[in-house]
Structures are given as structure tokens and as C-alpha cells.
């Protein structure tokens, strides 16, 4: 009788409080990631590094992140203990992130502000930060599959996580808006002071939410199978033999490219191409994430099936294609229209992110003892592809800022193509791959044991 009650309780959707507590667990990562992709290249070029050197710093962090995701994915699958890995990563992120935006510490110790020393210093701290970021990300993402086998609950958890990603981004842009208004950047020291305060406040807010996650989320147990048996760790080759693995990997990688590349060039676009006020580099991203937050909340109320996942991803991809075209063609004289474009970008980002992560959970299914490898390997592709893409764009940006003629009063620049063309192309390919998938979402029988301890 007791087993029947336990089985019935597991077959029901995950409770709201559990969903919220899980959702806030990635806040520290999200708020620091928002700062990383939005302001890192801008910060480094403003303090005097060349576009190429700034790209090297970004690439070093992305490579470290990508390699670390594979490493941590294997260790988590082998030893478990999601929350321990999450906590270790969070500590490393909190300690190292302020050094990424806090000025060149080795330069001050060595009394040398040469380009080489600065580049090496920022690259080192960027790599350390991203190693910690990877530990937290892989452990948090892979927890979803071990918390529940219910496909709708998995999407709800992913959607809630995405909603709080929006909260984190909005917090970052709120902080940035205030800092940029209060602290005027007239010297290099002022610029470093601006971003130092942004980093400190971001870390504080993120750590508060991580505390809520630890208090409200139980440690999942990944070793129990559908009938209560114990499963061995799944070999990597098991996933490599699945066609769906490659399809989901491509869609996830392209979706992350859409988000990260657009985020990295948005501040450059509104300041350099549209010649808008400094506050716009916080206001425009804020509008995007407000819209994404609203859509992510609405997506939690939907019962998910294969066709819905594909349809919603397609809708987001098509929206991004039109937004990309608008970004490329928007003249400086009509710069205010970027606020309208931002609304649709926010909607598209939420639709694509939630469904792409949900496809990843469909791939994992009941194979829980390989979930961390799947999350880690997909993140590896995401980080490396993003780092290389930004490096190539920055290299062209430094050597040839203007690559075509004028359109009205605006120039076709690398920034425009980076923000408009790259995400639009990735969206198009992602939509095409999505419709080749066979996403079988089974109705699981209840477990003999709950996955939450």
C-alpha cells in the first residue's frame, strides 16, 4: 500500500515550490554569464586592448568552459552528488569573476601594463571563471532528468530555469543601468570601477539565490531505474550511436549561438552603429529579457508533445530570422525601432531556449546515468563554437570595421552582421534540423522509488 502511494506521488507533476527552488539554482551562473557575453568585449576594448586581444580572452574562457563540461560530465555520471559539484563551481565563480572585471591584478603586482601581461592575466582569470561555471552548469542541467521522468514536468523545470535566467539578466542590466548613470567613465580607472561594481553586485545577488536553491532542493538519486533496479554508468558510445544525439546537439549548439552571439554584439550595435545613449546598452537587453521572462512563465502551463516542441521552436526561429533582417537594414535615423525589435527577440529567445533544452531531456529519457555526459558534451559544442565564432567576428572587426557601403545613414558593419546575420542563419538551420527529429515522448510508468531523496 505504501509503495502504491509513493508511486502515485511520483507520477504527479513536480510541486511548484520544488520547481521554483530548482529554477533559481543557476542564477549566479546566469547573471555572471550575462555580464560576460554582454560586456566583456566592450570592457576590454574600452580599457585599451585590441579587438583581437579581447577575442583571445573570450576564446580562452570558452575553451576552458568547453573542456571542463566534458570532464565534469564524466565525473558527475561516475560519482553523482550533483549539489556538491554545483556548490564547488559556485564558489569558484564567485571568487574569480570579480578578477575578470576588476582590473589586471598581475599588472599591478608586476607594475607592468603591457598588452601581453594584460591579455595573459585576463585570459587566466577568464579560464578559471569558466571552469567553475561549467561545474555548476552541468550539475544543474543534468539534475532535471533525475528529478522526474514526467516529460511535462521536465519542460516546466527547464522553463522555470529559463524564466530565472531572464530574472538574472534583468538584474544585471538593472545594476548596469544604475552604475553607468552614477559612475561616469572619464578615465581607465573609472571604467574599471564601473565594471568592478557591476561584478560585485552581480555576485552578491547570485549567491543569495543559490542559497535558496540549496535550502529548497533535495539531492537527486540517479541510480534507480524504472523497476527499481540499479543501472551502471552509460558508455559514451551509447550516445554516439543515436542519430537523435547528433540532431539535438546541432539544435542546442545553434540555439546557444543565437543567444550568445547576439548578446555579445548588442551593446556594440546600439552604441556604435545606432549611436544611441550609453543607457541603451542596458535598456535594450532589459526589454529582451522582460519579454523572455513573460514567455517562459507562460510556457510552464503547456502540456508538451513532440509536435508542440517542434512548432514552438520553429516559431522562435522564424521570429529571429525576421529580427535579424531588421537589424541588418535598420538605419541610424530609425534607431528607436530597435526597442520594438527587442520585444520579438525576447519572445524568440524564450521559445527556442525552452524547447531546445526540452529536446535534450527527451534524448536522455530514462537513461539517467548518462545525463551529465549529454549535458556536458552538448555544452562543449556550445562553448567551443561560440568562442570560435566570436573570435572570427572580432578578427574581422579589428581589421575591417566597414565591409560594405551605406544604407541611409547607417553602415553595414561586422557588428550588424554578427548581431543580425549569424543568429538568423543559425535559427534557419536549427529549424530545419528540428523537423528531421523523431522525438518520442513516452508515458512513463511510475517508479518503485522516488528519484528525490
Amino acid at each position: 500500500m505504501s509503495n502504491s502511494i509513493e508511486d502515485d506521488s511520483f507520477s504527479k507533476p513536480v510541486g511548484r515550490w520544488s520547481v521554483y527552488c530548482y529554477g533559481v539554482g543557476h542564477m549566479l551562473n546566469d547573471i555572471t554569464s550575462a555580464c560576460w557575453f554582454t560586456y566583456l568585449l566592450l570592457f576590454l576594448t574600452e580599457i585599451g586592448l585590441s579587438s583581437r586581444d579581447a577575442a583571445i580572452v573570450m576564446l580562452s574562457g570558452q575553451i576552458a568552459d568547453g573542456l571542463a563540461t566534458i570532464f565534469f560530465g564524466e565525473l558527475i555520471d561516475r560519482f553523482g552528488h550533483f549539489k556538491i559539484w554545483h556548490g564547488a563551481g559556485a564558489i569558484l565563480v564567485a571568487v574569480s569573476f570579480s578578477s575578470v572585471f576588476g582590473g589586471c591584478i598581475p599588472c599591478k603586482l608586476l607594475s607592468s601594463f603591457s598588452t601581453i601581461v594584460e591579455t595573459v592575466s585576463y585570459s587566466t582569470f577568464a579560464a578559471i571563471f569558466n571552469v567553475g561555471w561549467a561545474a555548476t552548469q552541468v550539475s544543474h542541467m543534468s539534475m532535471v532528468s533525475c528529478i522526474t521522468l514526467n516529460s511535462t514536468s521536465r519542460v516546466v523545470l527547464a522553463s522555470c530555469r529559463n524564466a530565472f535566467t531572464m530574472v538574472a539578466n534583468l538584474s544585471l542590466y538593472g545594476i548596469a543601468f544604475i552604475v553607468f548613470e552614477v559612475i561616469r567613465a572619464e578615465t581607465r580607472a573609472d571604467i574599471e570601477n564601473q565594471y568592478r561594481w557591476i561584478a560585485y553586485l552581480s555576485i552578491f545577488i547570485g549567491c543569495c539565490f543559490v542559497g535558496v536553491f540549496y535550502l529548497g532542493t533535495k539531492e537527486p538519486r540517479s541510480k534507480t531505474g524504472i523497476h527499481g533496479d540499479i543501472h551502471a554508468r552509460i558508455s559514451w558510445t551509447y550516445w554516439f550511436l543515436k542519430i537523435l544525439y547528433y540532431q539535438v546537439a546541432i539544435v542546442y549548439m545553434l540555439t546557444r549561438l543565437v543567444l550568445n552571439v547576439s548578446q555579445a554584439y548588442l551593446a556594440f550595435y546600439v552604441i556604435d552603429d545606432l549611436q544611441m545613449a550609453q543607457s541603451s546598452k542596458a535598456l535594450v537587453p532589459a526589454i529582451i529579457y522582460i519579454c523572455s521572462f513573460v514567455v517562459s512563465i507562460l510556457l510552464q502551463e503547456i502540456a508538451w508533445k513532440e509536435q508542440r516542441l517542434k512548432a514552438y521552436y520553429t516559431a522562435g526561429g522564424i521570429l529571429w530570422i525576421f529580427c535579424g533582417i531588421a537589424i541588418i537594414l535598420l538605419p541610424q535615423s530609425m534607431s528607436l525601432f530597435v526597442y520594438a525589435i527587442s520585444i520579438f527577440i525576447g519572445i524568440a529567445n524564450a521559445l527556442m531556449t525552452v524547447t531546445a533544452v526540452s529536446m535534450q531531456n527527451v534524448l536522455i529519457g530514462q537513461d539517467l546515468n548518462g545525463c551529465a555526459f549529454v549535458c556536458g558534451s552538448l555544452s562543449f559544442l556550445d562553448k567551443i563554437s561560440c568562442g570560435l565564432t566570436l573570435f572570427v567576428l572580432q578578427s574581422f572587426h579589428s581589421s575591417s570595421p566597414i565591409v560594405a557601403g551605406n544604407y541611409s545613414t547607417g553602415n553595414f558593419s561586422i557588428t550588424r552582421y554578427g548581431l543580425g546575420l549569424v543568429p538568423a542563419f543559425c535559427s534557419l538551420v536549427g529549424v530545419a534540423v528540428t523537423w528531421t527529429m523523431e522525438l518520442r515522448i513516452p508515458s512513463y510508468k511510475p517508479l518503485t522509488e522516488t528519484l528525490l531523496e
Side-chain angles (χ1 to χ4, degrees):
M1 182 67 179
S2 62
N3 282 343
S4 176
I5 295 173
E6 185 179 15
D7 291 350
D8 182 64
S9 65
F10 183 79
S11 64
K12 294 179 181 179
V14 177
R16 290 286 185 183
W17 176 246
S18 297
V19 170
Y20 291 145
C21 288
Y22 168 81
V24 303
H26 209 248
M27 280 281 290
L28 177 61
N29 265 25
D30 288 331
I31 197 169
T32 53
S33 175
C35 190
W36 169 267
F37 283 108
T38 306
Y39 296 127
L40 180 67
L41 294 176
L42 189 64
F43 165 68
L44 293 176
T45 53
E46 283 184 350
I47 63 173
L49 265 68
S50 68
S51 296
R52 177 65 68 87
D53 289 335
I56 290 174
V57 175
M58 172 71 78
L59 182 60
S60 68
Q62 295 301 110
I63 291 176
D65 196 343
L67 295 176
T69 54
I70 295 291
F71 179 69
F72 290 129
E74 174 66 15
L75 292 179
I76 291 170
D77 277 336
R78 188 180 295 270
F79 301 110
H81 303 295
F82 296 93
K83 292 177 71 175
I84 293 178
W85 291 105
H86 184 285
I91 291 172
L92 202 56
V93 166
V95 171
S96 64
F97 185 67
S98 60
S99 298
V100 176
F101 287 92
C104 179
I105 297 176
C107 295
K108 297 174 183 178
L109 295 176
L110 298 173
S111 299
S112 172
F113 284 86
S114 69
T115 300
I116 295 177
V117 174
E118 284 189 307
T119 303
V120 171
S121 172
Y122 284 116
S123 297
T124 301
F125 283 111
I128 295 171
F129 160 67
N130 277 278
V131 168
W133 203 97
T136 300
Q137 182 202 32
V138 174
S139 57
H140 193 260
M141 286 184 69
S142 54
M143 283 179 72
V144 172
S145 299
C146 296
I147 289 175
T148 179
L149 293 179
N150 183 286
S151 59
T152 296
S153 289
R154 283 180 170 183
V155 178
V156 169
L157 288 166
S159 181
C160 185
R161 168 184 164 151
N162 191 57
F164 279 104
T165 297
M166 306 310 135
V167 173
N169 280 266
L170 287 172
S171 300
L172 182 276
Y173 296 127
I175 292 170
F177 179 81
I178 294 172
V179 170
F180 290 142
E181 287 294 315
V182 173
I183 303 175
R184 297 297 177 180
E186 298 179 355
T187 64
R188 170 174 173 151
D190 293 335
I191 295 172
E192 291 180 348
N193 195 34
Q194 281 181 330
Y195 289 98
R196 186 181 297 112
W197 273 106
I198 291 173
Y200 289 159
L201 293 173
S202 298
I203 292 170
F204 175 75
I205 292 174
C207 288
C208 290
F209 281 99
V210 168
V212 174
F213 164 76
Y214 275 95
L215 292 174
T217 304
K218 297 180 180 179
E219 173 71 30
R221 180 173 60 244
S222 61
K223 304 298 182 184
T224 306
I226 292 293
H227 302 291
D229 55 328
I230 304 299
H231 286 176
R233 185 175 59 87
I234 295 173
S235 170
W236 293 10
T237 56
Y238 172 81
W239 301 108
F240 294 152
L241 295 175
K242 284 178 171 282
I243 295 177
L244 184 60
Y245 173 83
Y246 298 98
Q247 293 170 319
V248 172
I250 292 172
V251 170
Y252 181 82
M253 178 188 71
L254 292 172
T255 302
R256 297 301 303 175
L257 273 173
V258 169
L259 299 176
N260 294 336
V261 173
S262 63
Q263 192 173 25
Y265 280 98
L266 191 60
F268 286 106
Y269 178 67
V270 297
I271 298 299
D272 296 336
D273 288 72
L274 299 183
Q275 297 293 307
M276 299 177 72
Q278 288 291 316
S279 59
S280 64
K281 63 186 179 184
L283 285 176
V284 173
I287 292 173
I288 292 176
Y289 286 102
I290 288 173
C291 296
S292 290
F293 175 77
V294 173
V295 173
S296 295
I297 293 297
L298 295 177
L299 291 177
Q300 294 185 43
E301 307 302 325
I302 297 174
W304 290 92
K305 298 179 181 179
E306 175 183 358
Q307 293 304 314
R308 280 186 179 166
L309 283 176
K310 293 181 177 181
Y312 278 72
Y313 186 90
T314 300
I318 292 174
L319 271 178
W320 237 118
I321 292 171
F322 284 110
C323 290
I325 295 172
I327 286 169
I328 293 174
L329 299 179
L330 184 67
Q332 182 181 327
S333 60
M334 301 175 65
S335 60
L336 292 179
F337 277 93
V338 76
Y339 292 109
I341 296 172
S342 299
I343 294 174
F344 293 103
I345 291 177
I347 296 171
N349 284 352
L351 291 173
M352 295 176 70
T353 302
V354 171
T355 51
V357 173
S358 300
M359 291 173 191
Q360 176 180 285
N361 289 321
V362 172
L363 167 65
I364 294 171
Q366 356 175 349
D367 300 319
L368 306 181
N369 289 0
C371 59
F373 169 75
V374 172
C375 295
S377 60
L378 267 57
S379 293
F380 170 80
L381 293 174
D382 153 34
K383 308 305 179 185
I384 299 301
S385 62
C386 179
L388 291 175
T389 301
L390 291 174
F391 180 79
V392 171
L393 289 172
Q394 280 297 100
S395 298
F396 278 108
H397 187 273
S398 62
S399 60
S400 180
I402 307 302
V403 297
N406 294 331
Y407 177 83
S408 184
T409 59
N411 294 316
F412 285 101
S413 65
I414 287 298
T415 301
R416 281 184 183 267
Y417 285 116
L419 180 60
L421 186 60
V422 173
F425 176 76
C426 291
S427 299
L428 178 62
V429 177
V431 169
V433 174
T434 295
W435 286 97
T436 67
M437 295 180 180
E438 291 186 13
L439 295 171
R440 297 185 179 90
I441 304 179
S443 299
Y444 294 109
K445 297 179 181 179
L447 300 182
T448 55
E449 290 184 83
T450 178
L451 285 175
L452 283 179
E453 294 181 321

